[in-house]
Coordinates of all heavy atoms in Angstrom, one line a residue:
M527 N 16.8 8.6 -5.0 CA 16.2 7.3 -4.5 C 15.4 6.7 -5.7 O 14.7 7.4 -6.4 CB 15.2 7.6 -3.3 CG 14.7 6.4 -2.7 SD 13.6 6.8 -1.3 CE 14.4 8.1 -0.4
P528 N 15.5 5.4 -5.9 CA 14.8 4.8 -7.0 C 13.3 5.0 -6.9 O 12.8 5.3 -5.8 CB 15.2 3.3 -6.8 CG 16.4 3.3 -6.1 CD 16.4 4.5 -5.2
G529 N 12.6 4.8 -8.0 CA 11.2 5.0 -8.1 C 10.3 3.9 -7.5 O 9.1 4.2 -7.2
F530 N 10.9 2.8 -7.3 CA 10.0 1.7 -6.7 C 9.8 1.9 -5.2 O 10.6 2.5 -4.5 CB 10.7 0.3 -6.9 CG 10.8 -0.1 -8.4 CD1 12.0 -0.1 -9.0 CD2 9.7 -0.6 -9.0 CE1 12.1 -0.5 -10.4 CE2 9.7 -1.0 -10.3 CZ 10.9 -0.9 -11.0
T531 N 8.7 1.3 -4.7 CA 8.3 1.5 -3.4 C 9.2 0.7 -2.4 O 9.5 1.2 -1.3 CB 6.9 1.1 -3.2 OG1 6.0 1.8 -4.1 CG2 6.3 1.4 -1.8
A532 N 9.6 -0.5 -2.8 CA 10.4 -1.3 -1.9 C 11.7 -0.7 -1.4 O 11.9 -0.7 -0.2 CB 10.7 -2.6 -2.6
P533 N 12.5 0.0 -2.3 CA 13.7 0.6 -1.7 C 13.4 1.8 -0.8 O 14.1 2.1 0.1 CB 14.5 1.0 -3.0 CG 13.6 0.8 -4.1 CD 12.5 -0.1 -3.7
K534 N 12.3 2.4 -1.1 CA 11.9 3.6 -0.2 C 11.5 3.1 1.2 O 11.8 3.7 2.2 CB 10.7 4.3 -0.9 CG 11.1 5.1 -2.1 CD 9.9 5.7 -2.7 CE 10.2 6.3 -4.1 NZ 9.1 6.9 -4.8
I535 N 10.8 1.9 1.2 CA 10.5 1.3 2.5 C 11.8 0.9 3.3 O 11.9 1.2 4.5 CB 9.5 0.1 2.4 CG1 8.2 0.6 1.8 CG2 9.4 -0.6 3.7 CD1 7.3 -0.6 1.4
L536 N 12.7 0.3 2.5 CA 14.0 -0.1 3.2 C 14.7 1.1 3.7 O 15.3 1.1 4.7 CB 14.8 -0.9 2.2 CG 16.1 -1.4 2.7 CD1 15.9 -2.3 3.9 CD2 16.9 -2.1 1.6
W537 N 14.7 2.2 2.9 CA 15.4 3.5 3.3 C 14.8 4.0 4.5 O 15.5 4.4 5.5 CB 15.3 4.5 2.2 CG 16.1 5.8 2.5 CD1 17.3 6.1 2.2 CD2 15.6 6.9 3.3 NE1 17.7 7.3 2.7 CE2 16.6 7.8 3.4 CE3 14.4 7.2 3.9 CZ2 16.5 9.0 4.0 CZ3 14.2 8.4 4.6 CH2 15.3 9.3 4.6
L538 N 13.4 4.0 4.6 CA 12.8 4.5 5.8 C 13.1 3.6 7.0 O 13.4 4.1 8.1 CB 11.2 4.4 5.6 CG 10.4 5.0 6.7 CD1 10.5 6.5 6.8 CD2 8.9 4.6 6.5
K539 N 13.2 2.3 6.8 CA 13.6 1.4 7.9 C 15.0 1.7 8.4 O 15.2 1.7 9.7 CB 13.4 0.0 7.5 CG 13.8 -1.1 8.5 CD 13.8 -2.5 8.0 CE 14.3 -3.4 9.0 NZ 14.5 -4.8 8.5
N540 N 15.9 1.9 7.5 CA 17.3 2.1 7.9 C 17.6 3.5 8.4 O 18.5 3.7 9.2 CB 18.2 1.8 6.7 CG 18.2 0.3 6.4 OD1 17.9 -0.5 7.2 ND2 18.5 0.0 5.1
H541 N 16.9 4.5 7.9 CA 17.3 5.9 8.2 C 16.3 6.6 9.2 O 16.7 7.6 9.8 CB 17.4 6.7 6.9 CG 18.6 6.3 6.1 ND1 18.5 5.3 5.1 CD2 19.9 6.7 6.1 CE1 19.6 5.1 4.6 NE2 20.5 6.0 5.1
E542 N 15.1 6.1 9.2 CA 14.1 6.7 10.1 C 13.3 5.6 10.9 O 12.1 5.4 10.6 CB 13.1 7.6 9.4 CG 13.8 8.8 8.7 CD 12.8 9.8 8.2 OE1 11.7 9.8 8.6 OE2 13.2 10.6 7.3
P543 N 14.0 4.8 11.7 CA 13.4 3.6 12.3 C 12.2 4.0 13.2 O 11.3 3.1 13.2 CB 14.6 3.0 13.2 CG 15.6 4.1 13.3 CD 15.4 5.0 12.1
K544 N 12.1 5.1 13.8 CA 11.0 5.5 14.6 C 9.8 5.6 13.7 O 8.7 5.2 14.0 CB 11.2 6.8 15.4 CG 12.2 6.6 16.5 CD 12.3 7.9 17.3 CE 13.4 7.7 18.4 NZ 13.6 9.0 19.1
N545 N 9.9 6.3 12.5 CA 8.8 6.4 11.6 C 8.4 5.1 11.0 O 7.3 4.8 10.8 CB 9.1 7.4 10.5 CG 9.0 8.9 11.0 OD1 8.2 9.1 11.9 ND2 9.9 9.7 10.5
Y546 N 9.5 4.2 10.7 CA 9.2 2.9 10.1 C 8.4 2.1 11.1 O 7.4 1.4 10.8 CB 10.5 2.2 9.8 CG 10.2 0.8 9.2 CD1 9.8 0.7 7.9 CD2 10.3 -0.3 10.0 CE1 9.5 -0.6 7.4 CE2 10.0 -1.6 9.5 CZ 9.6 -1.7 8.2 OH 9.3 -3.0 7.7
A547 N 8.7 2.2 12.4 CA 7.9 1.5 13.4 C 6.5 1.9 13.5 O 5.6 1.1 13.9 CB 8.6 1.7 14.8
R548 N 6.2 3.1 13.1 CA 4.8 3.6 13.0 C 4.0 3.2 11.8 O 2.8 3.3 11.7 CB 4.8 5.1 13.1 CG 5.4 5.7 14.4 CD 5.5 7.2 14.4 NE 4.1 7.8 14.1 CZ 4.0 8.9 13.4 NH1 5.0 9.6 12.9 NH2 2.7 9.3 13.2
L549 N 4.7 2.6 10.8 CA 4.1 2.2 9.6 C 3.0 1.1 9.8 O 3.3 0.1 10.4 CB 5.2 1.6 8.6 CG 4.7 1.2 7.2 CD1 4.3 2.4 6.4 CD2 5.9 0.5 6.6
A550 N 1.8 1.4 9.4 CA 0.7 0.5 9.6 C 0.3 -0.2 8.3 O 0.0 -1.4 8.3 CB -0.5 1.2 10.2
T551 N 0.3 0.6 7.2 CA -0.2 0.1 5.9 C 0.6 0.8 4.8 O 0.8 2.0 4.9 CB -1.7 0.3 5.7 OG1 -2.4 -0.2 6.8 CG2 -2.2 -0.4 4.4
V552 N 0.9 0.0 3.8 CA 1.6 0.6 2.6 C 0.5 0.8 1.6 O -0.1 -0.2 1.1 CB 2.7 -0.3 2.1 CG1 3.3 0.3 0.8 CG2 3.8 -0.5 3.1
L553 N 0.3 2.1 1.2 CA -0.7 2.4 0.2 C -0.1 3.4 -0.8 O 0.6 4.3 -0.3 CB -2.0 3.0 0.7 CG -2.8 2.1 1.6 CD1 -4.0 2.9 2.2 CD2 -3.4 0.9 0.8
L554 N -0.3 3.3 -2.1 CA 0.1 4.3 -3.0 C -0.9 5.5 -2.9 O -2.0 5.3 -2.3 CB 0.1 3.7 -4.4 CG 1.1 2.6 -4.6 CD1 1.0 2.0 -6.0 CD2 2.5 3.0 -4.3
P555 N -0.6 6.7 -3.4 CA -1.4 7.8 -3.2 C -2.9 7.6 -3.6 O -3.8 7.9 -2.9 CB -0.8 8.9 -4.0 CG 0.7 8.6 -4.0 CD 0.7 7.1 -4.1
H556 N -3.1 7.0 -4.8 CA -4.5 6.8 -5.2 C -5.2 5.6 -4.4 O -6.4 5.6 -4.3 CB -4.6 6.6 -6.7 CG -3.8 5.4 -7.3 ND1 -2.4 5.6 -7.4 CD2 -4.1 4.2 -7.6 CE1 -2.0 4.4 -7.9 NE2 -3.0 3.6 -8.0
D557 N -4.4 4.7 -3.9 CA -4.9 3.7 -3.0 C -5.4 4.3 -1.7 O -6.4 3.9 -1.2 CB -3.9 2.6 -2.7 CG -3.5 1.9 -4.0 OD1 -4.4 1.6 -4.9 OD2 -2.3 1.5 -4.1
Y558 N -4.7 5.3 -1.3 CA -5.1 6.0 -0.1 C -6.4 6.8 -0.3 O -7.3 6.8 0.5 CB -4.0 7.0 0.5 CG -4.5 7.8 1.7 CD1 -4.5 7.1 2.9 CD2 -5.0 9.1 1.5 CE1 -5.0 7.8 4.0 CE2 -5.5 9.7 2.6 CZ -5.5 9.1 3.9 OH -6.0 9.8 5.0
L559 N -6.5 7.4 -1.5 CA -7.7 8.1 -1.8 C -8.9 7.1 -1.9 O -10.0 7.4 -1.3 CB -7.6 8.8 -3.2 CG -8.8 9.6 -3.7 CD1 -9.2 10.6 -2.7 CD2 -8.6 10.1 -5.0
N560 N -8.7 5.9 -2.5 CA -9.8 4.9 -2.4 C -10.1 4.5 -0.9 O -11.3 4.4 -0.6 CB -9.3 3.6 -3.1 CG -9.5 3.7 -4.6 OD1 -10.3 4.5 -5.1 ND2 -8.7 2.9 -5.3
F561 N -9.1 4.4 -0.1 CA -9.3 4.1 1.3 C -10.1 5.2 2.0 O -11.1 4.9 2.7 CB -8.0 3.9 2.0 CG -8.1 3.9 3.5 CD1 -8.7 2.9 4.2 CD2 -7.6 4.9 4.3 CE1 -8.9 2.8 5.6 CE2 -7.7 4.9 5.7 CZ -8.3 3.9 6.3
W562 N -9.8 6.4 1.7 CA -10.5 7.6 2.3 C -11.9 7.6 1.9 O -12.8 7.9 2.7 CB -9.8 8.9 1.9 CG -10.2 10.0 2.7 CD1 -9.7 10.5 3.9 CD2 -11.3 11.0 2.4 NE1 -10.3 11.6 4.4 CE2 -11.3 11.9 3.5 CE3 -12.2 11.1 1.4 CZ2 -12.2 12.9 3.5 CZ3 -13.1 12.1 1.4 CH2 -13.1 13.0 2.5
L563 N -12.2 7.3 0.6 CA -13.6 7.3 0.1 C -14.4 6.1 0.5 O -15.6 6.2 0.7 CB -13.5 7.4 -1.4 CG -13.0 8.8 -2.0 CD1 -12.8 8.6 -3.5 CD2 -14.0 9.9 -1.6
T564 N -13.7 4.9 0.6 CA -14.5 3.7 0.8 C -14.2 3.0 2.1 O -15.0 2.1 2.6 CB -14.2 2.7 -0.3 OG1 -12.8 2.2 -0.1 CG2 -14.4 3.3 -1.7
G565 N -13.1 3.3 2.8 CA -12.7 2.6 4.0 C -12.0 1.2 3.7 O -11.7 0.5 4.6
E566 N -11.8 0.9 2.4 CA -11.2 -0.3 2.0 C -9.7 -0.1 1.6 O -9.4 0.8 0.9 CB -11.9 -1.0 0.9 CG -13.3 -1.3 1.2 CD -13.4 -2.5 2.2 OE1 -12.6 -3.4 2.1 OE2 -14.3 -2.4 3.0
K567 N -8.8 -0.9 2.2 CA -7.4 -0.9 1.8 C -7.1 -1.9 0.8 O -7.2 -3.1 1.1 CB -6.5 -1.0 3.0 CG -6.7 0.0 4.1 CD -5.9 -0.3 5.3 CE -6.1 0.7 6.4 NZ -5.4 0.4 7.6
V568 N -6.9 -1.6 -0.5 CA -6.6 -2.5 -1.5 C -5.6 -1.9 -2.5 O -5.4 -0.7 -2.5 CB -7.8 -3.0 -2.3 CG1 -8.8 -3.7 -1.4 CG2 -8.5 -1.8 -3.0
M569 N -5.0 -2.8 -3.3 CA -4.1 -2.3 -4.3 C -4.3 -3.2 -5.6 O -4.4 -4.4 -5.4 CB -2.6 -2.3 -3.9 CG -1.6 -1.7 -4.8 SD 0.1 -1.7 -4.3 CE 0.0 -0.7 -2.8
E570 N -4.3 -2.6 -6.7 CA -4.5 -3.4 -7.9 C -3.2 -3.9 -8.4 O -2.1 -3.4 -8.1 CB -5.2 -2.6 -9.0 CG -4.4 -1.4 -9.6 CD -5.2 -0.7 -10.6 OE1 -6.3 -0.2 -10.4 OE2 -4.6 -0.7 -11.8
Y571 N -3.2 -5.1 -9.1 CA -2.0 -5.8 -9.5 C -1.0 -4.9 -10.3 O 0.2 -5.0 -10.1 CB -2.4 -7.0 -10.4 CG -3.1 -8.1 -9.6 CD1 -4.5 -8.2 -9.9 CD2 -2.5 -8.8 -8.6 CE1 -5.2 -9.2 -9.2 CE2 -3.3 -9.8 -7.9 CZ -4.6 -10.0 -8.2 OH -5.3 -10.9 -7.5
G572 N -1.5 -4.1 -11.2 CA -0.7 -3.3 -12.0 C 0.1 -2.3 -11.2 O 1.3 -2.1 -11.4
D573 N -0.5 -1.7 -10.2 CA 0.2 -0.8 -9.3 C 1.2 -1.5 -8.4 O 2.3 -1.0 -8.2 CB -0.8 0.0 -8.5 CG -1.6 1.0 -9.4 OD1 -1.1 1.4 -10.4 OD2 -2.8 1.2 -9.0
A574 N 0.7 -2.7 -8.0 CA 1.6 -3.5 -7.1 C 2.9 -3.9 -7.8 O 3.9 -4.0 -7.2 CB 0.8 -4.7 -6.6
S575 N 2.8 -4.1 -9.1 CA 4.0 -4.5 -9.8 C 5.0 -3.4 -9.8 O 6.2 -3.6 -9.9 CB 3.6 -4.9 -11.3 OG 3.2 -3.7 -12.0
G576 N 4.6 -2.1 -9.7 CA 5.5 -1.0 -9.6 C 6.2 -0.8 -8.2 O 7.0 0.1 -8.1
T577 N 5.8 -1.6 -7.3 CA 6.4 -1.5 -5.9 C 7.7 -2.3 -5.8 O 8.4 -2.1 -4.9 CB 5.4 -2.0 -4.8 OG1 5.2 -3.4 -5.0 CG2 4.1 -1.2 -4.9
A578 N 7.9 -3.3 -6.7 CA 9.0 -4.2 -6.6 C 8.8 -5.2 -5.5 O 9.7 -5.9 -5.1 CB 10.4 -3.5 -6.5
L579 N 7.5 -5.3 -5.0 CA 7.2 -6.3 -4.0 C 6.2 -7.4 -4.5 O 5.9 -8.3 -3.7 CB 6.5 -5.5 -2.8 CG 7.4 -4.6 -2.1 CD1 6.6 -3.7 -1.1 CD2 8.5 -5.3 -1.3
L580 N 5.9 -7.3 -5.8 CA 4.9 -8.3 -6.3 C 5.6 -9.4 -7.1 O 6.5 -9.1 -7.9 CB 3.9 -7.5 -7.2 CG 2.8 -8.4 -7.8 CD1 1.8 -8.8 -6.7 CD2 2.1 -7.7 -9.0
D581 N 5.2 -10.6 -6.9 CA 5.6 -11.7 -7.8 C 4.6 -11.6 -8.9 O 3.5 -12.1 -8.8 CB 5.5 -13.0 -7.1 CG 6.0 -14.2 -7.9 OD1 5.7 -14.2 -9.2 OD2 6.5 -15.1 -7.4
V582 N 5.0 -11.1 -10.1 CA 4.1 -10.8 -11.1 C 3.5 -12.1 -11.7 O 2.3 -12.1 -12.1 CB 4.8 -10.0 -12.3 CG1 3.9 -9.8 -13.4 CG2 5.3 -8.7 -11.7
R583 N 4.3 -13.1 -11.9 CA 3.8 -14.4 -12.4 C 2.7 -15.0 -11.5 O 1.7 -15.6 -12.1 CB 4.9 -15.4 -12.7 CG 5.8 -14.9 -13.8 CD 6.9 -15.9 -14.0 NE 7.8 -15.4 -15.1 CZ 8.6 -16.1 -15.7 NH1 8.7 -17.4 -15.5 NH2 9.4 -15.5 -16.6
K584 N 2.9 -15.0 -10.2 CA 1.9 -15.6 -9.3 C 0.8 -14.7 -8.9 O -0.1 -15.1 -8.3 CB 2.7 -16.1 -8.1 CG 3.6 -17.3 -8.4 CD 4.3 -17.7 -7.1 CE 5.3 -18.8 -7.4 NZ 6.0 -19.2 -6.2
R585 N 1.0 -13.4 -9.2 CA 0.0 -12.3 -8.8 C -0.2 -12.3 -7.3 O -1.3 -12.3 -6.8 CB -1.3 -12.5 -9.6 CG -1.1 -12.2 -11.1 CD -2.3 -12.4 -11.9 NE -3.3 -11.4 -11.5 CZ -3.9 -10.6 -12.3 NH1 -3.7 -10.6 -13.6 NH2 -4.9 -9.8 -11.9
K586 N 0.9 -12.4 -6.6 CA 0.9 -12.4 -5.1 C 2.1 -11.6 -4.6 O 3.0 -11.4 -5.4 CB 1.1 -13.8 -4.5 CG 0.0 -14.8 -4.8 CD 0.3 -16.1 -4.1 CE -0.8 -17.1 -4.2 NZ -0.5 -18.4 -3.5
W587 N 2.0 -11.1 -3.4 CA 3.1 -10.4 -2.9 C 4.3 -11.4 -2.8 O 4.2 -12.5 -2.5 CB 2.8 -9.8 -1.5 CG 1.8 -8.8 -1.4 CD1 0.6 -8.8 -0.9 CD2 1.9 -7.5 -2.0 NE1 -0.1 -7.6 -1.1 CE2 0.7 -6.8 -1.8 CE3 2.9 -6.8 -2.8 CZ2 0.5 -5.5 -2.2 CZ3 2.7 -5.5 -3.2 CH2 1.5 -4.9 -2.9
S588 N 5.5 -10.9 -3.1 CA 6.7 -11.7 -3.2 C 7.3 -11.8 -1.7 O 7.8 -10.8 -1.3 CB 7.7 -11.1 -4.1 OG 9.0 -11.7 -3.9
M589 N 7.2 -13.0 -1.2 CA 7.7 -13.1 0.2 C 9.3 -13.0 0.2 O 9.8 -12.5 1.2 CB 7.3 -14.5 0.8 CG 5.8 -14.5 1.1 SD 5.2 -13.1 2.0 CE 6.1 -13.2 3.6
A590 N 9.9 -13.3 -0.9 CA 11.4 -13.1 -0.9 C 11.7 -11.6 -0.8 O 12.6 -11.3 -0.1 CB 12.0 -13.8 -2.2
A591 N 11.1 -10.8 -1.6 CA 11.3 -9.4 -1.6 C 10.9 -8.8 -0.2 O 11.7 -8.0 0.3 CB 10.6 -8.7 -2.7
I592 N 9.8 -9.2 0.3 CA 9.3 -8.7 1.6 C 10.3 -9.0 2.7 O 10.6 -8.2 3.5 CB 7.9 -9.2 1.8 CG1 6.9 -8.6 0.8 CG2 7.5 -8.9 3.3 CD1 5.6 -9.2 0.8
E593 N 10.7 -10.3 2.8 CA 11.5 -10.8 3.8 C 12.9 -10.1 3.7 O 13.6 -10.0 4.7 CB 11.6 -12.3 3.8 CG 10.3 -12.9 4.3 CD 10.3 -14.4 4.3 OE1 11.3 -15.0 3.9 OE2 9.2 -15.0 4.6
A594 N 13.3 -9.7 2.5 CA 14.6 -9.0 2.4 C 14.6 -7.6 3.1 O 15.6 -7.1 3.5 CB 15.0 -8.8 0.9
I595 N 13.4 -7.1 3.2 CA 13.2 -5.8 3.9 C 12.9 -6.0 5.4 O 13.5 -5.6 6.3 CB 12.1 -5.0 3.3 CG1 12.5 -4.6 1.8 CG2 11.8 -3.7 4.1 CD1 11.4 -4.0 1.0
D596 N 11.8 -6.8 5.6 CA 11.3 -7.1 7.0 C 10.1 -8.1 6.9 O 9.1 -7.7 6.2 CB 10.8 -5.8 7.6 CG 10.3 -5.9 9.0 OD1 10.2 -7.1 9.6 OD2 9.9 -4.9 9.6
P597 N 10.2 -9.2 7.5 CA 9.2 -10.2 7.4 C 7.8 -9.6 7.9 O 6.7 -10.1 7.4 CB 9.6 -11.3 8.3 CG 11.1 -11.2 8.3 CD 11.4 -9.8 8.2
E598 N 7.8 -8.7 8.8 CA 6.6 -8.1 9.3 C 5.9 -7.2 8.3 O 4.7 -6.8 8.4 CB 6.8 -7.4 10.6 CG 7.2 -8.3 11.7 CD 7.4 -7.6 13.0 OE1 6.9 -6.4 13.2 OE2 8.0 -8.2 13.9
L599 N 6.6 -6.8 7.2 CA 6.1 -6.0 6.2 C 4.9 -6.6 5.5 O 3.9 -5.9 5.1 CB 7.1 -5.6 5.2 CG 6.7 -4.7 4.0 CD1 6.2 -3.4 4.5 CD2 7.9 -4.5 3.1
A600 N 4.9 -7.9 5.4 CA 3.8 -8.7 4.7 C 2.4 -8.3 5.3 O 1.4 -8.2 4.6 CB 4.0 -10.2 4.8
G601 N 2.4 -8.1 6.6 CA 1.1 -7.8 7.3 C 0.7 -6.3 7.1 O -0.4 -5.9 7.5
K602 N 1.5 -5.5 6.4 CA 1.3 -4.1 6.2 C 0.9 -3.8 4.8 O 0.7 -2.7 4.4 CB 2.5 -3.3 6.7 CG 2.8 -3.5 8.1 CD 4.1 -2.8 8.5 CE 4.3 -3.1 10.0 NZ 5.4 -2.3 10.5
L603 N 0.9 -4.9 4.0 CA 0.5 -4.7 2.6 C -0.9 -5.0 2.4 O -1.4 -6.0 3.0 CB 1.4 -5.6 1.7 CG 2.9 -5.3 1.7 CD1 3.7 -6.4 1.0 CD2 3.2 -3.9 1.1
P604 N -1.6 -4.3 1.5 CA -3.1 -4.5 1.4 C -3.4 -5.7 0.5 O -2.5 -6.2 -0.3 CB -3.5 -3.2 0.7 CG -2.4 -2.7 -0.1 CD -1.2 -3.1 0.8
P605 N -4.6 -6.2 0.5 CA -5.0 -7.2 -0.4 C -4.9 -6.7 -1.8 O -5.0 -5.5 -2.1 CB -6.5 -7.5 0.0 CG -6.7 -6.9 1.3 CD -5.7 -5.8 1.5
L606 N -4.7 -7.6 -2.8 CA -4.6 -7.3 -4.2 C -5.9 -7.5 -4.9 O -6.6 -8.4 -4.5 CB -3.4 -8.1 -4.8 CG -2.1 -7.9 -4.2 CD1 -1.1 -9.0 -4.6 CD2 -1.5 -6.5 -4.7
T607 N -6.1 -6.7 -5.9 CA -7.4 -6.8 -6.7 C -7.2 -6.5 -8.1 O -6.2 -5.8 -8.5 CB -8.5 -5.9 -6.1 OG1 -9.7 -6.1 -6.7 CG2 -8.1 -4.4 -6.2
A608 N -8.0 -7.0 -9.0 CA -8.0 -6.6 -10.4 C -8.5 -5.2 -10.6 O -9.3 -4.7 -9.9 CB -8.8 -7.6 -11.2
S609 N -7.9 -4.6 -11.6 CA -8.3 -3.1 -11.9 C -9.7 -3.0 -12.4 O -10.2 -1.9 -12.3 CB -7.3 -2.5 -12.9 OG -7.3 -3.2 -14.1
N610 N -10.3 -4.0 -12.9 CA -11.7 -3.9 -13.4 C -12.8 -4.1 -12.3 O -13.9 -4.1 -12.6 CB -11.9 -4.8 -14.6 CG -11.8 -6.3 -14.2 OD1 -11.1 -6.6 -13.2 ND2 -12.5 -7.1 -14.9
L611 N -12.3 -4.4 -11.1 CA -13.3 -4.6 -10.0 C -13.4 -3.3 -9.2 O -12.4 -2.7 -8.9 CB -12.8 -5.7 -9.1 CG -12.7 -7.1 -9.8 CD1 -12.2 -8.1 -8.8 CD2 -14.1 -7.5 -10.4
P612 N -14.7 -3.0 -8.8 CA -14.8 -1.8 -7.9 C -14.2 -2.1 -6.5 O -14.3 -3.3 -6.1 CB -16.3 -1.6 -7.8 CG -16.9 -3.0 -8.2 CD -15.9 -3.6 -9.1
V613 N -13.8 -1.1 -5.9 CA -13.2 -1.3 -4.5 C -14.4 -1.4 -3.5 O -14.4 -2.4 -2.8 CB -12.4 0.0 -4.1 CG1 -11.9 -0.1 -2.7 CG2 -11.2 0.1 -5.0
E614 N -15.3 -0.5 -3.6 CA -16.5 -0.6 -2.7 C -17.2 0.7 -2.9 O -16.8 1.6 -3.6 CB -16.0 -0.6 -1.2 CG -17.0 -0.7 -0.1 CD -17.9 -2.0 -0.2 OE1 -17.3 -3.1 -0.1 OE2 -19.1 -1.9 -0.3
D615 N -18.5 0.7 -2.4 CA -19.2 2.0 -2.5 C -18.6 3.1 -1.7 O -18.0 2.8 -0.6 CB -20.7 1.8 -2.1 CG -21.4 0.8 -3.0 OD1 -21.1 0.8 -4.2 OD2 -22.4 0.2 -2.6
C616 N -18.7 4.3 -2.1 CA -18.2 5.4 -1.3 C -19.0 5.5 0.0 O -20.1 5.2 0.1 CB -18.3 6.7 -2.1 SG -17.2 6.8 -3.5
K617 N -18.2 6.0 1.0 CA -18.8 6.2 2.3 C -19.9 7.3 2.2 O -19.9 8.1 1.2 CB -17.8 6.7 3.3 CG -16.8 5.6 3.7 CD -15.9 6.2 4.8 CE -14.5 5.9 4.6 NZ -13.6 6.6 5.6
K618 N -20.7 7.5 3.2 CA -21.6 8.6 3.2 C -20.8 9.9 3.3 O -19.7 9.9 3.9 CB -22.5 8.5 4.5 CG -23.5 7.3 4.4 CD -24.3 7.3 5.6 CE -25.2 6.1 5.5 NZ -26.1 5.9 6.7
P619 N -21.3 11.0 2.7 CA -20.5 12.2 2.8 C -20.2 12.6 4.2 O -20.9 12.4 5.1 CB -21.5 13.2 2.2 CG -22.4 12.4 1.4 CD -22.5 11.1 2.1
R620 N -19.0 13.2 4.3 CA -18.5 13.6 5.6 C -18.9 15.1 5.8 O -18.5 15.9 5.0 CB -17.0 13.5 5.8 CG -16.6 12.0 5.7 CD -15.1 12.0 5.9 NE -14.7 10.6 5.8 CZ -13.4 10.2 6.1 NH1 -12.5 11.1 6.4 NH2 -13.1 9.0 6.0
P621 N -19.7 15.5 6.8 CA -20.0 16.9 7.0 C -18.8 17.8 7.1 O -17.8 17.4 7.7 CB -20.8 16.9 8.3 CG -21.2 15.5 8.5 CD -20.2 14.6 7.8
G622 N -18.9 18.9 6.4 CA -17.8 19.9 6.5 C -16.6 19.6 5.6 O -15.6 20.3 5.6
R623 N -16.6 18.5 4.9 CA -15.5 18.1 4.0 C -15.8 18.5 2.6 O -16.9 18.2 2.1 CB -15.2 16.6 4.1 CG -14.7 16.1 5.4 CD -13.2 16.2 5.4 NE -12.7 15.7 6.7 CZ -11.7 14.9 6.8 NH1 -11.1 14.5 5.8 NH2 -11.3 14.6 8.0
W624 N -14.9 19.1 1.9 CA -15.0 19.4 0.4 C -16.2 20.3 0.1 O -16.7 20.2 -1.0 CB -15.1 18.1 -0.4 CG -13.9 17.1 -0.1 CD1 -13.5 16.7 1.1 CD2 -13.1 16.6 -1.1 NE1 -12.4 15.9 0.9 CE2 -12.2 15.8 -0.4 CE3 -13.0 16.6 -2.5 CZ2 -11.2 15.0 -1.0 CZ3 -12.1 15.9 -3.1 CH2 -11.2 15.1 -2.4
I625 N -16.7 21.0 1.0 CA -17.8 21.9 0.8 C -17.4 23.3 0.9 O -16.6 23.7 1.7 CB -19.0 21.6 1.7 CG1 -19.5 20.2 1.5 CG2 -20.1 22.6 1.5 CD1 -20.6 19.7 2.4

């Protein structure tokens, strides 16, 4: 399977439709870690360019690429941010976690 995220999402839609229907948000592994630590779902432009879903010139999600997979996918992609901006402050420590 190619390394870009877009074909993996299309594969999931075509081969595991029940799991695709459960898809709430598309996050890369380190974006998920940011989410876990801060509660914020975001993706930086550089990482988004590696998904094959970003219009690099406009620095926006590419509706053409998204609609080729599923128009509803647009609502499952996080807001985009610059890599030099902080995501958010970390949440308060969770008792019993990482101790």
